[in-house]
Amino acid sequence: MAGREELDFTYSLIDRIFRLSLGEMADFSGAKFDGDFSLTLEEAQRRKHEYVAEMIGIGPERRLLDLGCGWGPLLGFNRERGGEGTGVTLSSAQLRSCLRHGLDVHLLDAREVDRETFGPFDAVASLGAFEHFCSPEDHEAGRQEEIYEGLFANVAEILPPGGRLYLQTMVFGPNAGEPIRGDVDAPRDSDAYFLGLMAHQFPGSFLPFGKEQVVRAAAPHLDLVESSSGRLDYIETIARWRRLFAEPSFKKTLLKARLVPRWLTNREFRLAFTSGVSANTVCFERQLLEHYRMVFERPTA
Ligand SMILES: C[S@@+](CC[C@H](N)C(=O)[O-])C[C@H]1O[C@@H](n2cnc3c(N)ncnc32)[C@H](O)[C@@H]1O
């Protein structure tokens, strides 16, 4: 699993730049354009939340658990709809930001949350966090499936019969190959180079092998009721994010200037944040990565 230090590297270090670019409750997972790129990013993120609400049931007198809640966009939406919500994150900056906005968020490993932790919930969601639950080392040690199955067992225990989980995650795509070879020293245009960049951007994280691995791990506990690919929508989401990050701002320039010493002395930092290309985009375009929106249900019998 990506630990606190690694998630702080990915999310906390440039926390203010994220919030200045994407908004206080920065929504940092693929939006739902459904191919209609005339929508604004905000509209497409709203559409995603409305879809989640429709799929798992969000609203008054319902309790939602958000595993890997980020800066709290879904919890904020849930609150607007009159629902109660609790979230967990492993990024300390995200925790502080969520608490500032009055959200019930805790610094906890999502994989450890079971019925004992906060009691039962009517619905569970996890968007863009499953990617971090298994590390390359976990995979090499043969623990990947077990980690996913453990998470699904906990979620099933938290939900009532018929209760639902919305899971949105990247997975390795059909062209990723096996074993996965990421190498930032490989030729600049190679698949290995882009997969290598991804590994630097998300240290400690390793993806499931296709939707199939996720569904297989969930099967003893939860049934898949709906799934769709969000790959093309994700490419568009990233393009919109890049524009927002690039928008000039005095505050952002100051924050970036403060990171220059780190940029000069830390190769990991340079590879993660300033390689000049969006490795995600290229990986999605080449189908080295895929992206799924999945709805699971706890069986009633
Ligand atoms: C890409 S962000 C997505 C955030 C949010 N769900 C959204 O849609 O904007 C990934 C989130 O997963 C969280 N995360 C990753 N691994 C975690 C773990 N083991 N336990 C709790 N949170 C985790 C990170 O801290 C971060 O908040």
Side-chain angles (χ1 to χ4, degrees), residues 1-2 7 11 25-30 45 48-49 66-74 88-92 94 106-112 126-133 168 202 234 241:
M1 180 194 83
L7 290 166
Y11 298 111
M25 287 195 190
D27 200 319
F28 202 51
S29 54
Q45 293 293 19
K48 173 178 75 183
H49 290 156
D66 189 348
L67 297 172
C69 62
W71 287 272
L74 183 65
V88 298
T89 174
L90 276 184
S91 151
S92 47
Q94 290 178 338
H106 305 258
L107 197 66
L108 270 184
D109 180 355
R111 306 174 320 163
E112 306 285 312
S126 185
L127 288 78
F130 200 82
E131 289 90 332
H132 300 294
F133 293 164
Q168 179 167 310
F202 302 100
Y234 215 142
W241 283 339

mmCIF file of all heavy atoms in Angstrom, residues 1-2 7 11 25-30 45 48-49 66-74 88-92 94 106-112 126-133 168 202 234 241, ligand 1:
data_model
loop_
_atom_site.group_PDB
_atom_site.id
_atom_site.type_symbol
_atom_site.label_atom_id
_atom_site.label_comp_id
_atom_site.label_asym_id
_atom_site.label_seq_id
_atom_site.Cartn_x
_atom_site.Cartn_y
_atom_site.Cartn_z
ATOM 1 N N MET A 1 0.840 -1.195 0.000
ATOM 2 C CA MET A 1 0.000 0.000 0.000
ATOM 3 C C MET A 1 0.879 1.251 0.000
ATOM 4 O O MET A 1 1.966 1.242 0.570
ATOM 5 C CB MET A 1 -0.853 -0.024 1.279
ATOM 6 C CG MET A 1 -1.779 1.149 1.408
ATOM 7 S SD MET A 1 -2.460 1.301 3.074
ATOM 8 C CE MET A 1 -1.154 2.160 3.945
ATOM 9 N N ALA A 2 0.401 2.310 -0.641
ATOM 10 C CA ALA A 2 1.097 3.591 -0.511
ATOM 11 C C ALA A 2 0.852 4.089 0.913
ATOM 12 O O ALA A 2 -0.290 4.183 1.349
ATOM 13 C CB ALA A 2 0.536 4.578 -1.521
ATOM 14 N N LEU A 7 1.718 9.189 0.277
ATOM 15 C CA LEU A 7 0.516 9.940 -0.095
ATOM 16 C C LEU A 7 0.701 11.424 0.197
ATOM 17 O O LEU A 7 0.167 12.271 -0.518
ATOM 18 C CB LEU A 7 -0.717 9.359 0.603
ATOM 19 C CG LEU A 7 -1.074 7.977 0.031
ATOM 20 C CD1 LEU A 7 -2.062 7.257 0.930
ATOM 21 C CD2 LEU A 7 -1.633 8.067 -1.375
ATOM 22 N N TYR A 11 -0.074 14.139 -2.518
ATOM 23 C CA TYR A 11 -1.213 15.038 -2.316
ATOM 24 C C TYR A 11 -0.963 16.221 -1.382
ATOM 25 O O TYR A 11 -1.614 17.246 -1.527
ATOM 26 C CB TYR A 11 -2.425 14.247 -1.792
ATOM 27 C CG TYR A 11 -2.883 13.193 -2.754
ATOM 28 C CD1 TYR A 11 -2.732 11.839 -2.462
ATOM 29 C CD2 TYR A 11 -3.442 13.541 -3.977
ATOM 30 C CE1 TYR A 11 -3.137 10.862 -3.361
ATOM 31 C CE2 TYR A 11 -3.848 12.574 -4.882
ATOM 32 C CZ TYR A 11 -3.691 11.240 -4.563
ATOM 33 O OH TYR A 11 -4.085 10.292 -5.456
ATOM 34 N N MET A 25 -12.585 22.385 -2.382
ATOM 35 C CA MET A 25 -12.896 20.953 -2.235
ATOM 36 C C MET A 25 -12.513 20.257 -3.540
ATOM 37 O O MET A 25 -13.347 19.614 -4.202
ATOM 38 C CB MET A 25 -14.371 20.749 -1.912
ATOM 39 C CG MET A 25 -14.715 21.151 -0.510
ATOM 40 S SD MET A 25 -16.326 20.473 -0.072
ATOM 41 C CE MET A 25 -16.614 21.319 1.461
ATOM 42 N N ALA A 26 -11.237 20.414 -3.896
ATOM 43 C CA ALA A 26 -10.733 19.915 -5.178
ATOM 44 C C ALA A 26 -11.224 18.503 -5.474
ATOM 45 O O ALA A 26 -11.059 17.603 -4.656
ATOM 46 C CB ALA A 26 -9.212 19.935 -5.137
ATOM 47 N N ASP A 27 -11.829 18.341 -6.620
ATOM 48 C CA ASP A 27 -12.318 17.015 -7.023
ATOM 49 C C ASP A 27 -11.210 16.400 -7.861
ATOM 50 O O ASP A 27 -10.945 16.849 -8.974
ATOM 51 C CB ASP A 27 -13.595 17.218 -7.862
ATOM 52 C CG ASP A 27 -14.418 15.950 -7.896
ATOM 53 O OD1 ASP A 27 -13.818 14.872 -8.032
ATOM 54 O OD2 ASP A 27 -15.642 16.043 -7.778
ATOM 55 N N PHE A 28 -10.557 15.397 -7.305
ATOM 56 C CA PHE A 28 -9.383 14.869 -7.995
ATOM 57 C C PHE A 28 -9.576 13.415 -8.414
ATOM 58 O O PHE A 28 -8.795 12.529 -8.095
ATOM 59 C CB PHE A 28 -8.134 15.039 -7.115
ATOM 60 C CG PHE A 28 -6.862 15.027 -7.919
ATOM 61 C CD1 PHE A 28 -6.710 15.837 -9.033
ATOM 62 C CD2 PHE A 28 -5.808 14.193 -7.578
ATOM 63 C CE1 PHE A 28 -5.547 15.810 -9.789
ATOM 64 C CE2 PHE A 28 -4.630 14.162 -8.319
ATOM 65 C CZ PHE A 28 -4.505 14.967 -9.429
ATOM 66 N N SER A 29 -10.663 13.183 -9.146
ATOM 67 C CA SER A 29 -10.850 11.883 -9.802
ATOM 68 C C SER A 29 -11.628 12.159 -11.090
ATOM 69 O O SER A 29 -12.222 13.228 -11.257
ATOM 70 C CB SER A 29 -11.597 10.912 -8.878
ATOM 71 O OG SER A 29 -12.807 11.471 -8.434
ATOM 72 N N GLY A 30 -11.586 11.174 -11.988
ATOM 73 C CA GLY A 30 -12.144 11.359 -13.325
ATOM 74 C C GLY A 30 -13.589 11.832 -13.299
ATOM 75 O O GLY A 30 -14.421 11.307 -12.546
ATOM 76 N N GLN A 45 -18.175 16.964 -13.194
ATOM 77 C CA GLN A 45 -17.953 16.431 -11.839
ATOM 78 C C GLN A 45 -19.294 16.331 -11.110
ATOM 79 O O GLN A 45 -19.529 15.382 -10.370
ATOM 80 C CB GLN A 45 -16.974 17.320 -11.044
ATOM 81 C CG GLN A 45 -15.545 17.327 -11.563
ATOM 82 C CD GLN A 45 -14.817 15.985 -11.414
ATOM 83 O OE1 GLN A 45 -15.421 14.932 -11.250
ATOM 84 N NE2 GLN A 45 -13.488 16.016 -11.495
ATOM 85 N N LYS A 48 -21.038 13.313 -12.255
ATOM 86 C CA LYS A 48 -20.490 12.125 -11.583
ATOM 87 C C LYS A 48 -21.145 11.949 -10.216
ATOM 88 O O LYS A 48 -21.597 10.854 -9.874
ATOM 89 C CB LYS A 48 -18.963 12.285 -11.419
ATOM 90 C CG LYS A 48 -18.325 11.192 -10.589
ATOM 91 C CD LYS A 48 -16.814 11.367 -10.501
ATOM 92 C CE LYS A 48 -16.423 12.490 -9.567
ATOM 93 N NZ LYS A 48 -14.970 12.708 -9.528
ATOM 94 N N HIS A 49 -21.229 13.018 -9.453
ATOM 95 C CA HIS A 49 -21.812 12.911 -8.112
ATOM 96 C C HIS A 49 -23.284 12.510 -8.183
ATOM 97 O O HIS A 49 -23.759 11.716 -7.372
ATOM 98 C CB HIS A 49 -21.643 14.236 -7.349
ATOM 99 C CG HIS A 49 -20.222 14.499 -6.979
ATOM 100 N ND1 HIS A 49 -19.728 15.755 -6.738
ATOM 101 C CD2 HIS A 49 -19.173 13.655 -6.814
ATOM 102 C CE1 HIS A 49 -18.445 15.664 -6.435
ATOM 103 N NE2 HIS A 49 -18.085 14.411 -6.485
ATOM 104 N N ASP A 66 -16.937 7.476 2.764
ATOM 105 C CA ASP A 66 -16.103 7.733 1.592
ATOM 106 C C ASP A 66 -14.669 7.293 1.903
ATOM 107 O O ASP A 66 -13.980 7.902 2.729
ATOM 108 C CB ASP A 66 -16.167 9.235 1.247
ATOM 109 C CG ASP A 66 -15.496 9.558 -0.088
ATOM 110 O OD1 ASP A 66 -14.790 8.682 -0.631
ATOM 111 O OD2 ASP A 66 -15.678 10.687 -0.570
ATOM 112 N N LEU A 67 -14.235 6.239 1.240
ATOM 113 C CA LEU A 67 -12.900 5.686 1.495
ATOM 114 C C LEU A 67 -11.889 6.350 0.556
ATOM 115 O O LEU A 67 -11.893 6.084 -0.652
ATOM 116 C CB LEU A 67 -12.920 4.169 1.275
ATOM 117 C CG LEU A 67 -13.840 3.378 2.213
ATOM 118 C CD1 LEU A 67 -13.942 1.905 1.787
ATOM 119 C CD2 LEU A 67 -13.346 3.465 3.661
ATOM 120 N N GLY A 68 -11.040 7.210 1.102
ATOM 121 C CA GLY A 68 -10.099 7.962 0.273
ATOM 122 C C GLY A 68 -10.800 9.202 -0.247
ATOM 123 O O GLY A 68 -10.928 9.417 -1.450
ATOM 124 N N CYS A 69 -11.240 10.055 0.691
ATOM 125 C CA CYS A 69 -12.178 11.148 0.351
ATOM 126 C C CYS A 69 -11.490 12.377 -0.224
ATOM 127 O O CYS A 69 -12.174 13.310 -0.652
ATOM 128 C CB CYS A 69 -12.975 11.535 1.589
ATOM 129 S SG CYS A 69 -11.923 12.175 2.921
ATOM 130 N N GLY A 70 -10.155 12.421 -0.229
ATOM 131 C CA GLY A 70 -9.457 13.572 -0.802
ATOM 132 C C GLY A 70 -9.795 14.854 -0.064
ATOM 133 O O GLY A 70 -9.835 14.915 1.164
ATOM 134 N N TRP A 71 -10.089 15.908 -0.840
ATOM 135 C CA TRP A 71 -10.435 17.201 -0.256
ATOM 136 C C TRP A 71 -11.949 17.292 0.029
ATOM 137 O O TRP A 71 -12.469 18.379 0.272
ATOM 138 C CB TRP A 71 -9.979 18.341 -1.160
ATOM 139 C CG TRP A 71 -8.493 18.540 -1.150
ATOM 140 C CD1 TRP A 71 -7.780 19.327 -0.284
ATOM 141 C CD2 TRP A 71 -7.520 17.968 -2.036
ATOM 142 N NE1 TRP A 71 -6.433 19.260 -0.571
ATOM 143 C CE2 TRP A 71 -6.254 18.435 -1.646
ATOM 144 C CE3 TRP A 71 -7.607 17.076 -3.122
ATOM 145 C CZ2 TRP A 71 -5.074 18.065 -2.300
ATOM 146 C CZ3 TRP A 71 -6.432 16.711 -3.773
ATOM 147 C CH2 TRP A 71 -5.193 17.205 -3.358
ATOM 148 N N GLY A 72 -12.638 16.157 -0.097
ATOM 149 C CA GLY A 72 -14.031 16.091 0.352
ATOM 150 C C GLY A 72 -15.108 16.471 -0.648
ATOM 151 O O GLY A 72 -16.215 16.816 -0.226
ATOM 152 N N PRO A 73 -14.867 16.377 -1.975
ATOM 153 C CA PRO A 73 -15.918 16.820 -2.909
ATOM 154 C C PRO A 73 -17.213 16.004 -2.799
ATOM 155 O O PRO A 73 -18.301 16.581 -2.813
ATOM 156 C CB PRO A 73 -15.272 16.665 -4.296
ATOM 157 C CG PRO A 73 -14.155 15.681 -4.108
ATOM 158 C CD PRO A 73 -13.652 15.898 -2.704
ATOM 159 N N LEU A 74 -17.091 14.682 -2.654
ATOM 160 C CA LEU A 74 -18.321 13.879 -2.574
ATOM 161 C C LEU A 74 -19.014 14.079 -1.223
ATOM 162 O O LEU A 74 -20.247 14.128 -1.148
ATOM 163 C CB LEU A 74 -18.015 12.385 -2.813
ATOM 164 C CG LEU A 74 -19.250 11.482 -2.830
ATOM 165 C CD1 LEU A 74 -20.177 11.806 -4.013
ATOM 166 C CD2 LEU A 74 -18.869 10.010 -2.866
ATOM 167 N N VAL A 88 -12.342 8.979 5.089
ATOM 168 C CA VAL A 88 -10.972 8.761 5.550
ATOM 169 C C VAL A 88 -10.009 9.116 4.429
ATOM 170 O O VAL A 88 -10.325 8.968 3.247
ATOM 171 C CB VAL A 88 -10.714 7.297 6.024
ATOM 172 C CG1 VAL A 88 -11.594 6.947 7.212
ATOM 173 C CG2 VAL A 88 -10.913 6.287 4.899
ATOM 174 N N THR A 89 -8.851 9.610 4.831
ATOM 175 C CA THR A 89 -7.770 9.918 3.890
ATOM 176 C C THR A 89 -6.466 9.620 4.603
ATOM 177 O O THR A 89 -6.431 9.547 5.833
ATOM 178 C CB THR A 89 -7.804 11.401 3.464
ATOM 179 O OG1 THR A 89 -6.647 11.686 2.655
ATOM 180 C CG2 THR A 89 -7.788 12.363 4.645
ATOM 181 N N LEU A 90 -5.388 9.461 3.825
ATOM 182 C CA LEU A 90 -4.080 9.314 4.481
ATOM 183 C C LEU A 90 -3.219 10.550 4.248
ATOM 184 O O LEU A 90 -2.045 10.557 4.599
ATOM 185 C CB LEU A 90 -3.364 8.061 3.971
ATOM 186 C CG LEU A 90 -3.741 6.744 4.658
ATOM 187 C CD1 LEU A 90 -2.883 5.601 4.122
ATOM 188 C CD2 LEU A 90 -3.605 6.805 6.169
ATOM 189 N N SER A 91 -3.811 11.592 3.663
ATOM 190 C CA SER A 91 -3.048 12.829 3.460
ATOM 191 C C SER A 91 -3.386 13.825 4.562
ATOM 192 O O SER A 91 -4.553 14.200 4.740
ATOM 193 C CB SER A 91 -3.376 13.420 2.080
ATOM 194 O OG SER A 91 -3.226 14.825 2.104
ATOM 195 N N SER A 92 -2.350 14.257 5.291
ATOM 196 C CA SER A 92 -2.599 15.152 6.425
ATOM 197 C C SER A 92 -3.127 16.512 5.963
ATOM 198 O O SER A 92 -3.961 17.115 6.631
ATOM 199 C CB SER A 92 -1.324 15.311 7.254
ATOM 200 O OG SER A 92 -0.244 15.561 6.391
ATOM 201 N N GLN A 94 -5.014 17.051 3.328
ATOM 202 C CA GLN A 94 -6.428 16.868 2.974
ATOM 203 C C GLN A 94 -7.282 16.802 4.233
ATOM 204 O O GLN A 94 -8.375 17.358 4.284
ATOM 205 C CB GLN A 94 -6.612 15.583 2.157
ATOM 206 C CG GLN A 94 -6.024 15.685 0.760
ATOM 207 C CD GLN A 94 -6.168 14.396 -0.035
ATOM 208 O OE1 GLN A 94 -6.319 13.315 0.530
ATOM 209 N NE2 GLN A 94 -6.097 14.510 -1.341
ATOM 210 N N HIS A 106 -11.277 11.517 8.879
ATOM 211 C CA HIS A 106 -10.289 10.942 9.803
ATOM 212 C C HIS A 106 -9.056 10.490 9.017
ATOM 213 O O HIS A 106 -9.179 10.039 7.879
ATOM 214 C CB HIS A 106 -10.899 9.733 10.522
ATOM 215 C CG HIS A 106 -12.185 10.076 11.213
ATOM 216 N ND1 HIS A 106 -12.269 10.288 12.563
ATOM 217 C CD2 HIS A 106 -13.446 10.289 10.715
ATOM 218 C CE1 HIS A 106 -13.520 10.597 12.877
ATOM 219 N NE2 HIS A 106 -14.249 10.609 11.773
ATOM 220 N N LEU A 107 -7.907 10.592 9.692
ATOM 221 C CA LEU A 107 -6.656 10.135 9.076
ATOM 222 C C LEU A 107 -6.517 8.640 9.367
ATOM 223 O O LEU A 107 -6.008 8.254 10.420
ATOM 224 C CB LEU A 107 -5.488 10.917 9.681
ATOM 225 C CG LEU A 107 -4.175 10.892 8.906
ATOM 226 C CD1 LEU A 107 -4.308 11.593 7.564
ATOM 227 C CD2 LEU A 107 -3.060 11.537 9.707
ATOM 228 N N LEU A 108 -7.025 7.832 8.472
ATOM 229 C CA LEU A 108 -7.061 6.385 8.710
ATOM 230 C C LEU A 108 -6.849 5.639 7.404
ATOM 231 O O LEU A 108 -7.261 6.125 6.343
ATOM 232 C CB LEU A 108 -8.447 5.979 9.206
ATOM 233 C CG LEU A 108 -8.775 5.966 10.680
ATOM 234 C CD1 LEU A 108 -10.196 5.434 10.870
ATOM 235 C CD2 LEU A 108 -7.799 5.049 11.428
ATOM 236 N N ASP A 109 -6.271 4.450 7.527
ATOM 237 C CA ASP A 109 -6.119 3.591 6.359
ATOM 238 C C ASP A 109 -7.483 2.992 5.995
ATOM 239 O O ASP A 109 -8.095 2.288 6.802
ATOM 240 C CB ASP A 109 -5.121 2.471 6.723
ATOM 241 C CG ASP A 109 -4.886 1.518 5.572
ATOM 242 O OD1 ASP A 109 -5.554 1.642 4.527
ATOM 243 O OD2 ASP A 109 -4.017 0.631 5.727
ATOM 244 N N ALA A 110 -7.920 3.271 4.789
ATOM 245 C CA ALA A 110 -9.239 2.807 4.335
ATOM 246 C C ALA A 110 -9.375 1.286 4.460
ATOM 247 O O ALA A 110 -10.459 0.772 4.692
ATOM 248 C CB ALA A 110 -9.446 3.214 2.879
ATOM 249 N N ARG A 111 -8.245 0.590 4.305
ATOM 250 C CA ARG A 111 -8.319 -0.878 4.324
ATOM 251 C C ARG A 111 -8.587 -1.429 5.715
ATOM 252 O O ARG A 111 -8.924 -2.585 5.890
ATOM 253 C CB ARG A 111 -7.017 -1.460 3.766
ATOM 254 C CG ARG A 111 -6.675 -0.904 2.378
ATOM 255 C CD ARG A 111 -5.323 -1.384 1.931
ATOM 256 N NE ARG A 111 -4.388 -1.386 3.053
ATOM 257 C CZ ARG A 111 -3.249 -2.038 3.067
ATOM 258 N NH1 ARG A 111 -2.875 -2.748 2.031
ATOM 259 N NH2 ARG A 111 -2.456 -1.976 4.117
ATOM 260 N N GLU A 112 -8.388 -0.559 6.710
ATOM 261 C CA GLU A 112 -8.578 -0.992 8.104
ATOM 262 C C GLU A 112 -9.974 -0.643 8.612
ATOM 263 O O GLU A 112 -10.314 -0.972 9.743
ATOM 264 C CB GLU A 112 -7.572 -0.291 9.015
ATOM 265 C CG GLU A 112 -6.116 -0.423 8.600
ATOM 266 C CD GLU A 112 -5.589 -1.798 8.922
ATOM 267 O OE1 GLU A 112 -5.820 -2.240 10.055
ATOM 268 O OE2 GLU A 112 -4.984 -2.428 8.033
ATOM 269 N N SER A 126 -15.807 4.992 -3.084
ATOM 270 C CA SER A 126 -14.357 5.163 -3.103
ATOM 271 C C SER A 126 -13.967 5.555 -4.530
ATOM 272 O O SER A 126 -14.132 4.778 -5.460
ATOM 273 C CB SER A 126 -13.676 3.856 -2.681
ATOM 274 O OG SER A 126 -12.284 4.059 -2.601
ATOM 275 N N LEU A 127 -13.480 6.764 -4.658
ATOM 276 C CA LEU A 127 -13.164 7.288 -5.993
ATOM 277 C C LEU A 127 -11.684 7.648 -6.062
ATOM 278 O O LEU A 127 -11.203 8.507 -5.307
ATOM 279 C CB LEU A 127 -13.992 8.549 -6.290
ATOM 280 C CG LEU A 127 -15.486 8.374 -6.565
ATOM 281 C CD1 LEU A 127 -16.278 8.163 -5.278
ATOM 282 C CD2 LEU A 127 -16.031 9.590 -7.298
ATOM 283 N N GLY A 128 -10.983 6.973 -6.936
ATOM 284 C CA GLY A 128 -9.582 7.317 -7.175
ATOM 285 C C GLY A 128 -8.643 6.945 -6.048
ATOM 286 O O GLY A 128 -7.523 7.459 -5.996
ATOM 287 N N ALA A 129 -9.061 6.069 -5.155
ATOM 288 C CA ALA A 129 -8.206 5.686 -4.022
ATOM 289 C C ALA A 129 -7.737 4.232 -4.103
ATOM 290 O O ALA A 129 -6.639 3.899 -3.645
ATOM 291 C CB ALA A 129 -8.959 5.908 -2.710
ATOM 292 N N PHE A 130 -8.557 3.391 -4.731
ATOM 293 C CA PHE A 130 -8.239 1.963 -4.845
ATOM 294 C C PHE A 130 -6.860 1.771 -5.495
ATOM 295 O O PHE A 130 -6.153 0.813 -5.217
ATOM 296 C CB PHE A 130 -9.333 1.317 -5.715
ATOM 297 C CG PHE A 130 -9.474 -0.166 -5.574
ATOM 298 C CD1 PHE A 130 -10.194 -0.714 -4.529
ATOM 299 C CD2 PHE A 130 -8.898 -1.028 -6.506
ATOM 300 C CE1 PHE A 130 -10.348 -2.090 -4.408
ATOM 301 C CE2 PHE A 130 -9.042 -2.402 -6.398
ATOM 302 C CZ PHE A 130 -9.771 -2.938 -5.354
ATOM 303 N N GLU A 131 -6.484 2.730 -6.341
ATOM 304 C CA GLU A 131 -5.188 2.709 -7.025
ATOM 305 C C GLU A 131 -4.030 2.633 -6.038
ATOM 306 O O GLU A 131 -2.931 2.194 -6.385
ATOM 307 C CB GLU A 131 -5.008 4.004 -7.841
ATOM 308 C CG GLU A 131 -5.867 4.135 -9.072
ATOM 309 C CD GLU A 131 -7.213 4.807 -8.811
ATOM 310 O OE1 GLU A 131 -7.711 4.706 -7.675
ATOM 311 O OE2 GLU A 131 -7.772 5.409 -9.738
ATOM 312 N N HIS A 132 -4.282 3.114 -4.806
ATOM 313 C CA HIS A 132 -3.191 3.206 -3.833
ATOM 314 C C HIS A 132 -3.180 2.057 -2.823
ATOM 315 O O HIS A 132 -2.323 2.015 -1.954
ATOM 316 C CB HIS A 132 -3.333 4.512 -3.032
ATOM 317 C CG HIS A 132 -3.288 5.750 -3.867
ATOM 318 N ND1 HIS A 132 -2.161 6.145 -4.553
ATOM 319 C CD2 HIS A 132 -4.223 6.692 -4.124
ATOM 320 C CE1 HIS A 132 -2.417 7.286 -5.184
ATOM 321 N NE2 HIS A 132 -3.659 7.632 -4.942
ATOM 322 N N PHE A 133 -4.163 1.185 -2.883
ATOM 323 C CA PHE A 133 -4.312 0.204 -1.801
ATOM 324 C C PHE A 133 -3.301 -0.939 -1.866
ATOM 325 O O PHE A 133 -3.109 -1.655 -0.895
ATOM 326 C CB PHE A 133 -5.740 -0.369 -1.773
ATOM 327 C CG PHE A 133 -6.794 0.654 -1.390
ATOM 328 C CD1 PHE A 133 -8.138 0.419 -1.621
ATOM 329 C CD2 PHE A 133 -6.441 1.854 -0.785
ATOM 330 C CE1 PHE A 133 -9.106 1.358 -1.260
ATOM 331 C CE2 PHE A 133 -7.394 2.809 -0.433
ATOM 332 C CZ PHE A 133 -8.736 2.551 -0.673
ATOM 333 N N GLN A 168 -14.614 3.689 -8.133
ATOM 334 C CA GLN A 168 -14.076 4.251 -9.372
ATOM 335 C C GLN A 168 -12.565 4.116 -9.293
ATOM 336 O O GLN A 168 -11.945 4.606 -8.347
ATOM 337 C CB GLN A 168 -14.511 5.712 -9.469
ATOM 338 C CG GLN A 168 -14.011 6.412 -10.692
ATOM 339 C CD GLN A 168 -14.701 7.752 -10.934
ATOM 340 O OE1 GLN A 168 -15.923 7.868 -10.921
ATOM 341 N NE2 GLN A 168 -13.917 8.775 -11.174
ATOM 342 N N PHE A 202 3.075 8.243 -8.498
ATOM 343 C CA PHE A 202 2.268 7.597 -7.460
ATOM 344 C C PHE A 202 3.105 6.539 -6.760
ATOM 345 O O PHE A 202 2.852 5.341 -6.904
ATOM 346 C CB PHE A 202 0.998 6.977 -8.082
ATOM 347 C CG PHE A 202 0.148 7.994 -8.797
ATOM 348 C CD1 PHE A 202 0.192 8.120 -10.174
ATOM 349 C CD2 PHE A 202 -0.670 8.864 -8.081
ATOM 350 C CE1 PHE A 202 -0.571 9.081 -10.831
ATOM 351 C CE2 PHE A 202 -1.436 9.833 -8.725
ATOM 352 C CZ PHE A 202 -1.382 9.937 -10.106
ATOM 353 N N TYR A 234 -11.669 10.400 -18.741
ATOM 354 C CA TYR A 234 -10.526 10.725 -17.876
ATOM 355 C C TYR A 234 -9.478 11.522 -18.652
ATOM 356 O O TYR A 234 -8.877 12.477 -18.142
ATOM 357 C CB TYR A 234 -9.912 9.456 -17.275
ATOM 358 C CG TYR A 234 -9.388 9.684 -15.863
ATOM 359 C CD1 TYR A 234 -9.526 8.711 -14.887
ATOM 360 C CD2 TYR A 234 -8.769 10.880 -15.502
ATOM 361 C CE1 TYR A 234 -9.076 8.928 -13.591
ATOM 362 C CE2 TYR A 234 -8.309 11.100 -14.209
ATOM 363 C CZ TYR A 234 -8.474 10.118 -13.259
ATOM 364 O OH TYR A 234 -8.024 10.334 -11.981
ATOM 365 N N TRP A 241 -7.747 19.685 -16.138
ATOM 366 C CA TRP A 241 -6.929 19.947 -14.951
ATOM 367 C C TRP A 241 -5.643 20.677 -15.328
ATOM 368 O O TRP A 241 -5.233 21.619 -14.672
ATOM 369 C CB TRP A 241 -6.533 18.631 -14.254
ATOM 370 C CG TRP A 241 -7.600 17.981 -13.435
ATOM 371 C CD1 TRP A 241 -8.708 18.569 -12.908
ATOM 372 C CD2 TRP A 241 -7.648 16.602 -13.042
ATOM 373 N NE1 TRP A 241 -9.442 17.627 -12.209
ATOM 374 C CE2 TRP A 241 -8.822 16.430 -12.271
ATOM 375 C CE3 TRP A 241 -6.825 15.493 -13.259
ATOM 376 C CZ2 TRP A 241 -9.184 15.191 -11.717
ATOM 377 C CZ3 TRP A 241 -7.182 14.270 -12.711
ATOM 378 C CH2 TRP A 241 -8.345 14.123 -11.957
HETATM 379 C C1 LIG B 1 -6.912 10.722 -6.308
HETATM 380 S S1 LIG B 1 -7.365 11.148 -4.673
HETATM 381 C C2 LIG B 1 -9.125 11.060 -4.852
HETATM 382 C C3 LIG B 1 -9.813 11.850 -3.804
HETATM 383 C C4 LIG B 1 -11.337 11.920 -3.871
HETATM 384 N N1 LIG B 1 -11.940 10.625 -3.711
HETATM 385 C C5 LIG B 1 -11.833 12.605 -5.117
HETATM 386 O O1 LIG B 1 -12.577 11.982 -5.879
HETATM 387 O O2 LIG B 1 -11.487 13.776 -5.318
HETATM 388 C C6 LIG B 1 -6.952 9.664 -3.754
HETATM 389 C C7 LIG B 1 -7.303 9.698 -2.285
HETATM 390 O O3 LIG B 1 -7.132 8.403 -1.722
HETATM 391 C C8 LIG B 1 -6.555 8.534 -0.446
HETATM 392 N N2 LIG B 1 -5.961 7.245 -0.065
HETATM 393 C C9 LIG B 1 -5.085 6.508 -0.755
HETATM 394 N N3 LIG B 1 -4.786 5.374 -0.066
HETATM 395 C C10 LIG B 1 -5.484 5.432 1.080
HETATM 396 C C11 LIG B 1 -5.607 4.568 2.191
HETATM 397 N N4 LIG B 1 -4.953 3.412 2.275
HETATM 398 N N5 LIG B 1 -6.432 4.943 3.181
HETATM 399 C C12 LIG B 1 -7.124 6.118 3.129
HETATM 400 N N6 LIG B 1 -7.047 6.962 2.090
HETATM 401 C C13 LIG B 1 -6.241 6.620 1.078
HETATM 402 C C14 LIG B 1 -5.580 9.676 -0.611
HETATM 403 O O4 LIG B 1 -5.213 10.179 0.640
HETATM 404 C C15 LIG B 1 -6.455 10.621 -1.433
HETATM 405 O O5 LIG B 1 -7.328 11.288 -0.554
#
